[in-house]
Amino acid sequence: MEREKEQFRKLFIGGLSFETTEESLRKYYEQWGKLTDCVVMRDPASKRSRGFGFVTFSSMSEVDAAMAARPHSIDGRVVEPKRAVAREESGKPGAHVTVKKLFVGGIKEDTDEHHLRSYFEEYGKIESIEVITDKQSGKKRGFGFVTFDDHDPVDKIVLQKYHTINGHNAEVRKALSRQEMQEVQSSRTGRGGNFGFGDSRGSGNFGPGSGSNFRGGSADGYGGGRGYGDGYNGYSGGQGGNYGGGNFNDFGNYNQQASNYGPMKGGFGGSRNMGGPYGGNYGPGGGSGSGGYGGRSRY
């Protein structure tokens, strides 16, 4: 049997004690399965632990077993395990934010709440489901939200990317609230405006870029307008409106832009703590040039 892709078998472990070594990290996580890799990230100069690491299991089911057994405590300290974000995703806005709410795009007219429930309840306990409809016509606008009682189902679902719900391809993303979007935006080295908040009216949650098509003043933050378009092209709108133009699949030019999530100046989000295991405490601080997930493994 071909081994599952490494990305599905890998956990980020944050909040490590500075006393924790690769040996003690390995010993702890081996209770859920065989590890193919284990690393504690260290400062290249001082060799001091940077307080996080990664473990890679031999199968995704072992990762699921480990995550089902939280909280995890190593060397007397409760740590924060989280499914590792794929390298190609790690520079994208919001990739490292911890959320319990999932954005689902590509919802067709014949797809109802119960279809979403039966599909996504396999991943975890669902707290609520919203299928967004047009206030005037009552027609579905092509997207919705699923909220879980934990962040791990969302992390697992977005890792897998492609999902077929009621016979249709669906796009999934972490759903970020306005506040979370603004925090991510402010941490991206002053590249304001590229998130396309429409005209800042409304207050709802946003999927992968609320951009030009979600202007208008309705209370849910999505406004009138064309809404989600045909499920894939509704997020286009030039290089400024959304996550870099193109369709909502591709996040466009964000991949090349400077980002506090990559291996660059100190920490994740500079001095701003993003919350969760990706808080601002894991980089070496300052502008040392080796912050983020640099070193041996940026994932």
Side-chain angles (χ1 to χ4, degrees):
M1 178 183 117
E2 188 184 347
R3 182 174 278 169
E4 294 155 312
K5 279 187 180 173
E6 181 188 44
Q7 204 48 60
F8 298 119
R9 300 182 282 110
K10 193 169 190 176
L11 280 179
F12 163 91
I13 315 295
L16 292 179
S17 160
F18 290 119
E19 308 304 314
T20 297
T21 62
E22 284 167 10
E23 186 181 11
S24 59
L25 185 64
R26 176 182 290 276
K27 187 175 177 185
Y28 184 80
Y29 279 99
E30 277 180 340
Q31 61 183 302
W32 291 290
K34 182 185 175 189
L35 298 190
T36 61
D37 192 39
C38 174
V39 59
V40 172
M41 303 307 290
R42 299 183 179 279
D43 181 90
S46 69
K47 302 293 186 267
R48 178 177 165 84
S49 168
R50 289 166 58 195
F52 68 93
F54 297 91
V55 294
T56 307
F57 285 91
S58 57
S59 74
M60 191 170 176
S61 60
E62 294 167 337
V63 175
D64 292 343
M67 292 303 281
R70 286 169 294 160
H72 296 167
S73 179
I74 307 173
D75 296 327
R77 182 160 176 164
V78 175
V79 299
E80 298 175 86
K82 190 170 154 73
R83 291 172 198 261
V85 177
R87 182 181 283 108
E88 62 271 19
E89 299 289 322
S90 66
K92 294 177 182 177
H96 300 279
V97 179
T98 301
V99 297
K100 299 179 182 179
K101 192 167 189 173
L102 181 74
F103 169 92
V104 185
I107 296 175
K108 303 299 183 191
E109 267 304 313
D110 64 353
T111 302
D112 296 312
E113 181 183 317
H114 70 89
H115 294 108
L116 297 181
R117 185 173 298 279
S118 63
Y119 183 83
F120 287 115
E121 67 187 359
E122 303 284 321
Y123 291 91
K125 186 180 176 189
I126 293 173
E127 289 194 338
S128 67
I129 296 177
E130 306 163 75
V131 176
I132 307 300
T133 55
D134 183 89
K135 291 234 179 341
Q136 288 164 323
S137 70
K139 284 192 169 183
K140 294 187 180 75
R141 300 196 36 204
F143 62 94
F145 299 96
V146 179
T147 305
F148 292 89
D149 69 342
D150 178 39
H151 67 82
D152 188 55
V154 174
D155 292 341
K156 184 176 179 180
I157 290 164
V158 299
L159 260 182
Q160 292 173 294
K161 282 189 185 169
Y162 302 107
H163 298 267
T164 304
I165 303 171
N166 192 29
H168 305 295
N169 291 331
E171 272 281 347
V172 294
R173 295 266 185 257
K174 293 176 180 178
L176 304 187
S177 67
R178 176 181 298 279
Q179 181 183 355
E180 287 162 335
M181 278 292 245
Q182 287 170 336
E183 284 182 2
V184 170
Q185 184 180 17
S186 66
S187 75
R188 292 186 68 79
T189 60
R191 290 203 55 84
N194 278 3
F195 284 83
F197 282 117
D199 50 9
S200 298
R201 287 182 281 173
S203 61
N205 287 281
F206 297 98
S210 50
S212 52
N213 295 331
F214 292 129
R215 292 174 189 273
S218 73
D220 66 0
Y222 290 97
R226 288 175 300 151
Y228 188 76
D230 61 4
Y232 288 90
N233 297 322
Y235 283 99
S236 60
Q239 291 301 313
N242 310 311
Y243 278 7
N247 62 29
F248 99 100
N249 238 340
D250 77 11
F251 286 81
N253 54 8
Y254 262 99
N255 289 337
Q256 277 71 50
Q257 286 166 6
S259 158
N260 285 334
Y261 292 112
M264 55 163 286
K265 68 178 192 300
F268 287 86
S271 61
R272 174 184 292 275
N273 191 320
M274 294 297 292
Y278 293 83
N281 303 325
Y282 294 125
S288 71
S290 65
Y293 286 126
R296 170 180 153 190
S297 163
R298 188 190 154 203
Y299 283 111

